[in-house]
Amino acid sequence: MNNWPLWEIFIRSKAGLNHKHVGSLHAADAEMAVQNARDVYTRRNEGVSIWVVESKYITASDPDDADPLYEPAKDKVYRHPTFYNLPDEVKHM
Amino acid sequence: MNNHLFNYTLQQADNCLILGQRLGEWCGHGPILEQDIAMTNIALDLIGQSRMLYQYAAEVQGDGKTEDDLAYLRDAWDFKNVLLVEQPNGDFAKTILRQFLFDSFNCYFYEALKDSNDEKLAAIAAKSHKETLYHLKWSADWVLRLGDGTEESHERIQSALNELWPYSAEIIIASDADHDAKTNGYGVNLEEIQSRRDSKIEEVLEEATLTAPEDTFSHSGGKSGTHTEHLGYILADLQFLQRAYPGNEW
Amino acid sequence: MNEKQLEDHFNEKIDKDIRIEPKDWMPENYRKTLIRQISQHAHSEIVGMLPEANWISRAPTLRRKAAALAKVQDEAGHGLYLYSACETLGIDRDTLLDQLHTGKAKYSSIFNYPTLTWADMGAIGWLVDGAAIMNQVPLCRASYGPYARAMIRVCKEESFHQRQGFEIMLTLCRGSKEQKKMAQDALNRWWWPALMMFGPTDADSPHTEQSMRWGIKRFTNDELRQKFVDVSKPQADLLGITIPDPDLKWNEERGRHDFGKINWEEFYNVIKGNGPCNKQRIDARTKAWEDGAWVRAAASAYAEKRKSKQQAA
C-alpha cells in the first residue's frame, strides 16, 4: 500500500466562477491532496479554492452511450430562445 | 547607521537565505514529485523573504550596498543565522524536523513583527507571515506522518529530533540586537514567542508520538558569527561566482 | 460495433480534429505509442531538472537563484502533468518510473550532457528550452485530449524559461571578457546537442508518418530543426557569439539557412548510454525514488491509521 492514490483536482480561479478540472496528482490522503494541489496547480496565482476527489470515486458516462445520452437533446430546438419569432418592436426579451 | 537594527534585520535575512539554500538542495531529489515541488515552494518563499530583508538591511546600512553584496560578499563570521538552519539536510526526516523547528519560530516571529514600529519590517512581516503559516502547517503535518507512520519513519524522525534538539533553543536566546529591538519597539519579545513556540512543539511532538530529549543543553554562537563547520561550505558554494569573478554583472 | 467500425469511427474523429478522450475506443498501437511518447517526455522533464539543479546553489545573484529554483520546479510540475496524462491511458506512474530507472524507457539525450559553467544555465534556457518549445507548441493540438491539455499548461509556463535563459546569455555577452568566453563556450557545447533534440532525420524516423496520421506529431523532425536554426541564428548574432558551424549560412534561394551535418554517431552513442552523464542522471533519479520509499510508506500508513480512527469514532 505504498502507492499514493490518484486525485482529481478542481480549481476555482476566482470568486464567482465554477471549480474547473485542471488535472490530477498523487497524495496519501485528502488533506495532502489539497496541499499538493496548492503547490502544483496554483504556483502562478491560478486559484482561490480547491476541490479534490479521489479518482476512483469519479463515475463517468460511457462513451458508447453517447448517442442515446446526448443525441436526443440535439433536436429540442424549442428549448432555445431563437426558436421563437417575435416582432422587432419587442425589445429586450 | 543603526547598528542594532542592521544586525537584527540581517539575523533574520541570514536565517532565511541559509535555510532556503539548504532546501534548494532537495530540488530534483525529493521523495516524490509532489513533495519536491512543495519543498521548492518553501525554498522560494524563504529566498524571497531574505531578499526583502537584505534590501532593507542595505538601506539601513546606507552606503550603497545591494542585497547581493550582503549575501555574497560577507564571510562566515559576518553571518548571523542560527546554527539550526545550516545543519545538513540528512534524510527527509531530518529536513522535516529542522524545518518544523524553524517554522515554529518563524511563523510566530513574523506574526509578532507585524506590530513593529518600523514600517518596513512590519510590512515584510505581514507578507511573510502568510507564507510561514503554510510552512508550519506543512512541516507539522509531516512530523505527524513520519512520527506516527511506520516503525522506520518513527525511528528516523526520533533520531533527527535527538540530533537537532540541541540546536532548537538558540533562536529564542536574545542577542544584543534582539534586546535592542524589543526595547525600542521595532522587534519582537522573544519570551512571548518562546512560550507559543514551545507549546506548539510540545503539541505536535505528542501527537506524533515523539519524545524530546530531556537534556536542555543548547548550542549557540550563530547570532554572533561563530558557526559550525557547515557554513563555510555553504558559502563556498553560494558565493563561488561572485568571488571568482569579482565586480561583474550577472 | 465491431473492431473495424470502431477503428473507422476513431479515424473519422482524427480526421475531423475531434479529440480522443481516455474512455474512448482507440487502437492498441495508438495507446502504446502515446504512452511511449508522453512518458518519454515526462521522464525528460524530471531528468532535465538535474543538470540545472546543479547550479541552483551557485546561482550568482539572489534574483537568479529564485528564477533558477522556480524554473527547475516548473520542470517537476511539467513532469507531473505529463505523468498524469499518461495515467489516463491505464498505466500508473510507479510503473513508468520503474521503466525509467531500469533503462527500459528513454528520455531526451540532451540531459546526458554536463552543466559545466553558469553560462550553461543560459544556453539551456535559450537553446534547449527553445528547441523544446518548438517541439511542444504544436502538441497543444495533439489528438489525445489529456495530452493536449497538459501541453497547453506546459507551454504556458515554459514561456518564461527561454526568456530567462536568453537574458542570462545577454548579460554574460555584455559583461567581462571571461563572461563572454563562458557564453561562447556554452554555445559551442550545446548547439549540436540542441539540434539533435529534434530526433533523427525524417528518412530515419520510421514512426513519423503514422504519428502524423494520428495527430500526435504535427511537424516532422527536419521541419522543426530547420525552423529552430532559422530562429536561432539571428539571436546568436544579437548576442555577438558564433554558432559553431562553419557551414551555417543563409540560402537566398530556399529562404532558409543551410547548416552542417549532424554527428549522428554521437547521437546514437549517447542514446545507447554512453553520454557523459547517462549513468549519473539515472543513478540520481533512482536514488531519489528509493530513498523516498520509506517516506511514501509512512504517509500511506499514517493515512490508513487516521482513516480507521475516524471510522472507529
Side-chain angles (χ1 to χ4, degrees), chain C residues 1-231:
Chain C
M1 279 197 267
N2 62 29
E3 187 90 355
K4 170 81 176 68
Q5 286 167 317
L6 286 166
E7 183 143 9
D8 288 346
H9 184 58
F10 171 86
N11 285 329
E12 198 186 309
K13 282 210 273 194
I14 297 275
D15 291 340
K16 287 188 186 153
D17 230 0
I18 296 173
R19 297 281 175 275
I20 309 300
E21 294 295 339
K23 293 190 128 202
D24 294 343
W25 186 91
M26 59 187 86
E28 203 38 43
N29 238 343
Y30 176 82
R31 183 190 301 274
K32 275 197 194 137
T33 307
L34 270 177
I35 289 177
R36 197 185 59 224
Q37 182 173 332
I38 301 173
S39 68
Q40 262 183 27
H41 187 171
H43 298 328
S44 301
E45 294 282 354
I46 63 164
V47 175
M49 295 171 76
L50 299 170
E52 288 183 279
N54 215 4
W55 279 91
I56 290 172
S57 67
R58 291 175 288 173
T61 68
L62 294 179
R63 176 175 174 268
R64 293 283 182 220
K65 190 186 288 290
L69 262 170
K71 191 202 159 192
V72 181
Q73 183 198 40
D74 273 350
E75 282 154 16
H78 299 169
L80 194 152
Y81 307 153
L82 289 158
Y83 284 125
S84 297
C86 218
E87 288 193 74
T88 63
L89 291 158
I91 184 163
D92 62 31
R93 197 199 291 174
D94 288 25
T95 310
L96 295 168
L97 288 176
D98 193 57
Q99 292 174 352
L100 172 67
H101 300 153
T102 54
K104 257 179 80 185
K106 302 278 177 233
Y107 55 89
S108 182
S109 61
I110 191 102
F111 301 117
N112 292 316
Y113 290 87
T115 45
L116 303 178
T117 74
W118 170 250
D120 291 10
M121 295 294 278
I124 289 182
W126 171 37
L127 298 172
V128 177
D129 290 301
I133 291 169
M134 213 157 262
N135 255 323
Q136 290 167 4
V137 167
L139 294 173
C140 296
R141 294 188 297 118
S143 63
Y144 187 58
Y147 188 26
R149 291 191 286 274
M151 289 315 302
I152 288 171
R153 198 168 260 278
V154 169
C155 287
K156 221 194 265 172
E157 299 187 352
E158 197 80 31
S159 56
F160 104 79
H161 296 180
Q162 196 187 8
R163 293 172 69 110
Q164 69 98 33
F166 194 77
E167 195 196 80
I168 290 174
M169 292 303 273
L170 197 60
T171 311
L172 292 174
C173 289
R174 288 176 178 169
S176 66
K177 209 172 80 211
E178 288 93 344
Q179 285 178 306
K180 198 161 177 188
K181 183 176 154 200
M182 224 182 254
Q184 179 65 58
D185 165 69
L187 174 58
N188 293 348
R189 283 181 291 109
W190 291 96
W191 175 254
W192 291 105
L195 290 194
M196 294 176 200
M197 280 178 74
F198 296 95
T201 59
D202 294 348
D204 287 325
S205 332
H207 301 302
T208 295
E209 201 189 327
Q210 176 66 78
S211 292
M212 290 186 73
R213 169 75 188 86
W214 277 336
I216 52 179
K217 186 166 181 159
R218 296 286 185 176
F219 296 97
T220 71
N221 297 351
D222 287 335
E223 282 167 356
L224 289 170
R225 189 166 14 242
Q226 178 70 56
K227 196 169 156 204
F228 178 74
V229 173
D230 290 336
V231 169

Side-chain angles (χ1 to χ4, degrees), chain A residues 9-22 46-51:
Chain A
I9 310 302
F10 301 82
I11 295 203
R12 186 200 295 287
S13 57
K14 58 181 186 198
L17 297 182
N18 292 330
H19 285 79
K20 201 174 144 194
H21 184 243
V22 294
E46 293 101 330
V48 296
S49 164
I50 296 171
W51 285 352

Side-chain angles (χ1 to χ4, degrees), chain A residues 1-4 6 22-26 28-29 31-32 39-41 43-44 46 54 56 60-64, chain C residues 23-24 73-74 77-78 80-81 84 87 92-94 153 157 160-161 293 295-297 299-300 302-304 306:
Chain A
M1 222 328 267
N2 290 351
N3 298 356
W4 294 356
L6 193 66
V22 294
S24 55
L25 50 73
H26 289 273
D29 53 44
E31 205 176 335
M32 193 202 278
D39 284 322
V40 172
Y41 288 105
R43 297 200 302 287
R44 286 176 172 75
E46 293 101 330
E54 214 179 314
K56 67 177 183 195
S61 63
D62 188 337
D64 289 345
Chain C
K23 293 190 128 202
D24 294 343
Q73 183 198 40
D74 273 350
H78 299 169
L80 194 152
Y81 307 153
S84 297
E87 288 193 74
D92 62 31
R93 197 199 291 174
D94 288 25
R153 198 168 260 278
E157 299 187 352
F160 104 79
H161 296 180
V295 178
R296 299 188 299 275
S300 295
Y302 178 78
E304 210 45 51
R306 284 243 303 216

Side-chain angles (χ1 to χ4, degrees), chain A residues 29 32 35, chain B residues 141-150 153, chain C residues 298-299 302:
Chain A
D29 53 44
M32 193 202 278
Q35 288 182 13
Chain B
D141 280 358
W142 270 109
V143 172
L144 296 180
R145 287 190 192 104
L146 299 184
D148 196 17
T150 62
S153 69
Chain C
Y302 178 78

